[in-house]
Amino acid sequence: MNMIARLLPVLALLSLLPSTLAVLVQGRVNSSSPLDPNAFVSLASSAETLTTPILHDLSFSLDVPASHYVLKIHNRVSEFASYALFVSSPTDIKAQIYQPGEAAFVLQANAQLPYPLVIPEVKKRGYYDEKPGFNIIKTIRNNPLMLAMGLVGILSLATPALMKRLDPEILAEVQQNQAQMHAKMNSFKNVDVAGGVAKLLAPEQQQAEAAAAKPAGGAASPGGGKARKRK
């Protein structure tokens, strides 16, 4: 009985031994660009979070106790997916994609990934907004004045070519109309505005002068009295 009592604590320790033995977790990062020199891998369980750096050959390895973990790549240059690891023993390590908000420690048989893990790059991080290049079409569309100037320039270049293709009679008529239009514009330019206004006001001035020179009505005759009627 004493022997059995002594063996019970030893058996209890042996039952806990598999859960405390370290299991080597390893993998590799697949990135098209160099990683941040300070990039590292973290494995978080319900009890602790373990970290290990990513080596120059983009591999990583870490001894962890048997448990369930969420594996993340911490890198400032690129983004990577997160993975749920189910570590039971050195020969029993299962992995699957982990989506934030899902139950991390629920193993899905149809979602298991090959092990050791090869973790691909999802996308590069963007810290700066790329300025769009110069687009002349967009610039013209956003500026009506430039659009109008462009249309005028196109018309000025296309008009001579169109004029050459016109029928001679139509061309002569168009040139005649243009000549008349230019003559009218020149006549407007040469109009003496002051002289025209003076001509319009001249009749009124003449009437005013005539009214001022006319003698007042009912004035006496030079004889001084009324003429007598002859019998």
Side-chain angles (χ1 to χ4, degrees):
M1 295 293 293
N2 292 333
M3 183 64 68
I4 295 175
R6 291 176 181 177
L7 289 176
L8 285 176
V10 176
L11 293 174
L13 291 174
L14 290 175
S15 65
L16 297 175
L17 187 60
S19 62
T20 57
L21 287 176
V23 179
L24 181 63
V25 174
Q26 55 187 351
R28 182 179 297 276
V29 176
N30 185 10
S31 177
S32 60
S33 57
L35 299 181
D36 175 23
N38 299 321
F40 65 94
V41 178
S42 68
L43 286 90
S45 67
S46 58
E48 59 182 343
T49 299
L50 305 173
T51 60
T52 183
I54 299 175
L55 304 179
H56 294 290
D57 60 352
L58 302 183
S59 64
F60 61 89
S61 59
L62 181 63
D63 291 324
V64 300
S67 183
H68 300 160
Y69 296 91
V70 175
L71 185 150
K72 294 182 179 181
I73 306 294
H74 299 267
N75 176 45
R76 292 183 296 180
V77 178
S78 306
E79 293 185 9
F80 298 86
S82 301
Y83 296 83
L85 290 184
F86 302 85
V87 181
S88 300
S89 67
T91 59
D92 186 11
I93 300 177
K94 298 179 177 62
Q96 66 184 27
I97 294 289
Y98 168 69
Q99 297 292 342
E102 294 182 352
F105 306 137
V106 177
L107 180 62
Q108 301 176 6
N110 58 350
Q112 293 185 26
L113 300 173
Y115 183 83
L117 282 174
V118 177
I119 303 175
E121 178 186 51
V122 175
K123 65 177 181 179
K124 296 186 183 300
R125 296 182 184 273
Y127 294 99
Y128 303 97
D129 294 332
E130 294 185 3
K131 294 183 178 180
F134 177 73
N135 190 340
I136 187 170
I137 297 177
K138 187 175 181 181
T139 304
I140 292 174
R141 286 179 179 176
N142 295 336
N143 194 334
L145 181 59
M146 292 187 64
L147 183 61
M149 292 175 62
L151 291 175
V152 171
I154 293 173
L155 290 175
S156 63
L157 294 175
T159 300
L162 293 174
M163 297 288 285
K164 292 180 180 178
R165 295 183 181 182
L166 289 176
D167 185 74
E169 295 180 359
I170 298 176
L171 179 60
E173 184 178 354
V174 171
Q175 291 177 348
Q176 183 180 0
N177 292 335
Q178 289 180 349
Q180 292 177 356
M181 185 180 297
H182 287 301
K184 290 181 180 179
M185 293 178 66
N186 292 330
S187 64
F188 283 121
K189 291 180 180 178
N190 297 328
V191 168
D192 185 4
V193 178
V197 173
K199 290 180 180 180
L200 292 174
L201 296 178
E204 296 181 359
Q205 292 179 355
Q206 292 176 359
Q207 291 177 2
E209 292 176 357
K214 186 178 180 181
S221 60
K226 292 183 180 179
R228 293 180 180 178
K229 293 182 181 181
R230 294 179 180 181
K231 294 182 180 180

